[in-house]
Amino acid sequence: MKGAQGPLGIRLIDVGLAAAVLIAVEISVVTGGGPGAAPLNARAYVLGGILVLPVLLRYRWPRFELIACSVLLLLYYTFDRRDISPAPLLSLPLYDATVAGYLVLAIIIPAVFMLIGLFVVGASTHQGLVSLAATFLPQIAVLFLAVTLGEVVRSRRALAAETAQRLRVADEEREAETARRVAEERLRIARDLHDTVAHSMATITVQAGSALHLLDGGDTNLRRALTAIRATSKEALAEMRATLGQLRTPASADQQTLAGGLDRLPALRDAVTAAGAPVTVEIEGEQRPLPPAVDQAAYRILQESLTNVLRHAGPAARATVSLRYEPAALAIRVTDDGGRDGQLTGGPPPAGGGHGLTGGGHGLTGMAERAAAVGGQITAGPRAEGGFEVAARLPAGEAR
């Protein structure tokens, strides 16, 4: 109920506090007789109630609350004065204004009222300084305590907010440091992997070239296979170096310089075919440029799928790649006939007989992650007629 707000931001707690201030003011009105005081009648009670109305707006407009109460009290003293203390009315507005940060205003207003009161009461009653001090000291103490309490609350809130901000900044810095260390470790692993694999790929390329030179017009199928090996190893080595270069220079990664798209599908088809698994490519719909991330994801899915054909279905398998360009998506379908031994592209069924995107390796999982990264989805599993099928659907809006 405390947080519920009505019109003008008035809360239930504000109504309760206004009622408490009203009681204190009316008590002061009843006891505020004396020389020159207006008579105690219904008008005096009504005017005392009007003085409290700005307190209802304390939550949304604390500065207006203090100024309005001060102006109404000054008008009350001027036109229908009862000898009431300003403390019952101004204590809560002074606290609210101080908490809101209006400390100077909260000091000036009660100081002005006290000075005017000392002058008026001293001139009208001819009391001595000691008597005036005894009369006004309790009021001054109450108003001072209201301002002091407001400043203490404001300072504690500011300190709590500053502490929370520092903790938040510390958490962000700690997360940034953790991310930096993870990135550095990944870069180190990438460098080690590059040094290891690059040496092997370079060796394969050189040996394939040497074998081609020694064949000198030998078996055509063997020359085709060696040529495919040399071309694939060169391409893989160049791509690995380009990827590592992006890791070393974040600016280049920000430019989305993605290596590999569907424009390389013919070379991939020729390489897999030369390795012994003939690949047929079928394209439906009007070909169009794809967003770079989708283009690369589509190529990587095809690359992994055809690699799995060679790895699990065997070199005698036949694969079919189907690309269907839809208005807002690209549908990919890779199937194989299972090869000579009937093995599935996705590997042997996992324990329990299930078939999905999980298994002993990471190929199918990587394809699923690539599809999800661009907002697509992928399914994979054995075909009823034998072999394996990978189907993906990627969003393919206008290329930027």
Side-chain angles (χ1 to χ4, degrees), residues 344 355-356 380-384 386-389:
L344 301 179
H355 300 284
R383 305 168 63 201
F388 202 79
E389 175 181 288

Side-chain angles (χ1 to χ4, degrees), residues 60-103:
R60 183 173 292 182
W61 297 295
R63 181 170 61 174
F64 171 80
E65 173 200 12
L66 176 58
I67 295 176
C69 286
S70 303
V71 172
L72 290 176
L73 183 60
L74 187 61
L75 293 175
Y76 181 82
Y77 283 145
T78 303
F79 297 105
D80 194 68
R81 181 176 65 85
R82 296 279 295 174
D83 293 334
I84 66 173
S85 168
L89 175 64
L90 296 183
S91 295
L92 182 60
L94 287 172
Y95 168 82
D96 294 333
T98 306
V99 171
Y102 305 109
L103 178 61

Side-chain angles (χ1 to χ4, degrees), residues 25-26 29 42-52 72 76 79-80:
V25 170
E26 294 296 359
V29 169
R43 180 182 180 184
Y45 287 112
V46 171
L47 292 178
I50 293 176
L51 296 179
V52 184
L72 290 176
Y76 181 82
F79 297 105
D80 194 68

